[in-house]
Amino acid sequence: TDFKRYTMQFADPNLFGYKPVSMSVSGFLYDRRFDDWDEERLGGRLAFGYRITPDLSLTAGVTGQRVDITRPRVNGVPQLDAVLGKTSLYSGEVALNHDTRDSPLQASRGHFFELKFEQAFGDFDYSRFELEYRKYWLLAERADGSGKQTLSYSTQAGYSGDDTPIYENFFAGGYATIRGFEFRGASPVVGGVEVGGRFQWLNTVEYMFPITADDAF
């Protein structure tokens, strides 16, 4: 019944007054309670960004964290047994993204593209590749810019190496990934445990329109 969740972050969009370079540093401690195990993570991250053009940017970062897996619902599943207790995970990543959306929260025009590579080491050693692309089309709107009707398409693909721990696998299910499934409900299952996978490819087509005149629904 008790959860811990602490986060602290500092970011400078113009490091040392040099506009194209940004820096962010963060620390975190939080609990998660999944259906099959409890998870606590303590760690931090340091990242630098470089804006190549107004729409194109490059980011490089390092992350270190201690992961504590407890209270497994099922024993005897190799993927889960291998991570029980405290494990250490460190990673370095590089990401390239191109963003022409008119809004990062509820876009109606433009696209977002990101290509990311991550190398993890510590108790586990693996490489990870992720790609995401989202495209938005504005179909209709009122004269004042409200009442937007938007069609969007998105695709997410990812692959992670053989030594990826279960808590870093790809999981799907829920409104953020595949609607119509419970959270992680579209993931591979071994011995009654949702173990996720090392490969994913998710595609979504969405039509968003206002039901009420004030755009509240």
Side-chain angles (χ1 to χ4, degrees):
T1 58
D2 297 325
F3 292 84
K4 296 189 294 290
R5 189 171 187 88
Y6 305 98
T7 60
M8 184 168 56
Q9 181 172 1
F10 171 80
D12 187 345
N14 301 312
L15 187 62
F16 305 127
Y18 188 56
K19 291 185 178 180
V21 178
S22 63
M23 182 199 74
S24 66
V25 58
S26 61
F28 54 87
L29 168 63
Y30 52 77
D31 289 336
R32 287 174 173 170
R33 300 210 176 163
F34 299 111
D35 290 340
D36 297 312
W37 67 81
D38 289 359
E39 179 179 309
E40 180 184 279
R41 297 199 185 207
L42 171 66
R45 172 177 167 80
L46 173 66
F48 295 91
Y50 179 73
R51 189 167 295 279
I52 302 170
T53 71
D55 299 328
L56 183 66
S57 60
L58 182 69
T59 304
V62 292
T63 303
Q65 54 185 322
R66 186 203 68 193
V67 185
D68 189 9
I69 304 296
T70 58
R71 299 180 61 187
R73 185 177 59 83
V74 176
N75 291 310
V77 176
Q79 295 94 325
L80 182 54
D81 291 346
V83 300
L84 292 178
K86 294 181 175 65
T87 54
S88 297
L89 187 65
Y90 305 93
S91 64
E93 70 174 46
V94 177
L96 179 71
N97 71 67
H98 191 259
D99 189 355
T100 64
R101 295 172 297 174
D102 56 351
S103 168
L105 299 178
Q106 192 167 327
S108 60
R109 297 181 179 89
H111 70 262
F112 173 83
F113 171 82
E114 183 174 66
L115 180 64
K116 184 189 299 183
F117 170 76
E118 179 180 1
Q119 178 61 51
F121 54 95
D123 290 331
F124 303 94
D125 189 348
Y126 61 92
S127 299
R128 187 183 187 97
F129 300 88
E130 293 183 73
L131 180 148
E132 181 177 5
Y133 177 74
R134 284 179 264 157
K135 175 67 177 176
Y136 302 86
W137 296 272
L138 179 63
L139 303 183
E141 65 178 338
R142 302 189 187 102
D144 62 357
S146 63
K148 287 183 169 62
Q149 300 181 37
T150 304
L151 180 67
S152 63
Y153 166 74
S154 70
T155 183
Q156 300 176 60
Y159 175 78
S160 199
D162 293 341
D163 199 30
T164 305
I166 186 175
Y167 54 75
E168 288 295 300
N169 276 347
F170 296 109
F171 292 88
Y175 75 93
T177 52
I178 302 180
R179 298 180 188 273
F181 289 85
E182 293 183 349
F183 177 68
R184 295 191 169 185
S187 299
V189 176
V190 175
V193 174
E194 294 167 346
V195 299
R198 294 185 296 103
F199 171 78
Q200 77 166 6
W201 185 28
L202 306 175
N203 294 274
T204 299
V205 175
E206 184 173 270
Y207 174 48
M208 184 176 291
F209 59 93
I211 297 176
T212 58
D214 60 1
D215 290 353
F217 294 94

